[in-house]
Amino acid sequence: GAALAEELRACGIRLNFSPVVDVDTRPDNPAIGDRSFGSDPDLVGRLGAAVVKGLQGGGIAACAKHFPGHGDTSVDSHFGLPSVGHSRDRLEEVELPPFRACIEAGVALVMTAHVLVPELDEKRPGTLSPEIVGQLLREGLGYGGVVATDDLQMKAVAAHWGPAERAVLAAQAGCDLLEVCSDHDDQAEAMEGLIRAVEAEEVDGGGCRSIELPRSRSGAEPSPPQPTTTPSRSWSSDARGAICDVAFRLVGWAPGDAP
């Protein structure tokens, strides 16, 4: 964790969506595999907490994922909706201890899984479930930090709910940071859906938590990255204007609308 923090700080990055603390109890799991620390919940928890402390001691916010556990699934949530059919007792023994360990270590974020857990919620996967995010994570595990979704464009949720609906359901479940990673139209639709939901008082627009970026052990803020070589090209004003024009359009602004 400390080594990762040093490298990330050098690049000006302040948040790492790591560590994966899913317990890899299914060898043929197509989604987790060697991203997991192993099949022993205690080992996964100890190593996950160590990564959290190393990253955040170096000034990088860490994120434990994928809650409440993606380790015992046979379906990759990028392409379908996995289901974990375990009892609450089994979840308490295997899937949840690594998250408890990371929470005790002060992890800045927890990322949800697009995984259906019928024992907890028969209808909605973790990301969209108030029972899993609100009751289990917030109340049961006592987590008060930021909850991030996995990418809301993954088929586990995208095949069943539209962009606006899944964004609103995630916010209602208790998620603070909603990831819509690649499609601009989906991003715009999700944002518009959230705005309408806030206006209709279906979502608390002031209820989202913000990420508290940790300081390094020295207490100093990380310095921005410095160039190590002289740029090989100087851009003309026309080229810079064209690049800005493209950038503005990618985020949905007209070229003159920059704040």
Side-chain angles (χ1 to χ4, degrees):
L4 287 170
E6 185 176 356
E7 295 292 332
L8 291 168
R9 274 204 324 275
C11 298
I13 295 171
R14 299 298 310 277
L15 164 62
N16 187 13
F17 286 110
S18 175
V20 171
V21 292
D22 301 302
V23 181
D24 187 25
T25 53
R26 182 183 288 262
D28 62 346
N29 187 323
I32 303 304
D34 61 7
R35 291 197 292 163
S36 170
F37 289 117
S39 59
D40 175 31
D42 180 65
L43 176 66
V44 173
R46 286 189 288 111
L47 294 178
V51 171
V52 168
K53 293 176 181 178
L55 283 168
Q56 298 190 169
I60 307 298
C63 176
K65 62 185 185 183
H66 308 79
F67 189 84
H70 203 323
D72 196 5
T73 58
S74 59
V75 174
D76 186 339
S77 51
H78 290 87
F79 308 110
L81 178 58
S83 179
V84 174
H86 296 310
S87 67
R88 178 63 181 264
D89 287 344
R90 149 70 193 234
L91 295 171
E92 291 286 353
E93 291 175 3
V94 177
E95 277 74 21
L96 298 182
F99 290 99
R100 292 185 187 276
C102 289
I103 290 169
E104 290 173 3
V107 70
L109 298 92
V110 171
M111 180 183 289
T112 58
H114 305 327
V115 173
L116 190 67
V117 187
E119 177 74 7
L120 304 175
D121 189 331
E122 295 182 346
K123 297 181 179 179
R124 295 179 182 173
T127 298
L128 310 182
S129 171
E131 288 79 7
I132 291 174
V133 178
Q135 293 180 20
L136 180 57
L137 179 58
R138 295 286 189 203
E139 298 175 13
L141 274 65
Y143 179 63
V146 171
V147 177
T149 72
D150 210 341
D151 184 6
L152 292 174
Q153 292 186 284
M154 293 163 64
K155 294 298 184 184
V157 290
H160 303 278
W161 296 272
E165 186 180 14
R166 55 188 185 259
V168 170
L169 287 173
Q172 290 173 336
C175 298
D176 306 295
L177 190 159
L178 312 184
E179 294 188 29
V180 185
C181 293
S182 57
D183 186 278
H184 178 260
D185 290 339
D186 279 8
Q187 292 166 353
E189 191 172 341
M191 182 68 73
E192 290 166 2
L194 288 167
I195 291 170
R196 290 193 296 269
V198 170
E199 291 174 343
E201 298 185 348
E202 297 170 354
V203 168
D204 181 3
C208 290
R209 297 157 182 80
S210 59
I211 301 171
E212 295 185 10
L213 294 173
R215 289 180 175 269
S216 64
R217 289 187 180 89
S218 67
E221 289 289 336
S223 301
Q226 300 297 320
T228 57
T229 60
T230 303
S232 60
R233 177 183 299 177
S234 73
W235 296 95
S236 68
S237 59
D238 288 341
R240 289 195 298 271
I243 292 169
C244 289
D245 184 25
V246 171
F248 290 160
R249 294 186 191 283
L250 284 173
V251 298
W253 295 340
D257 289 346

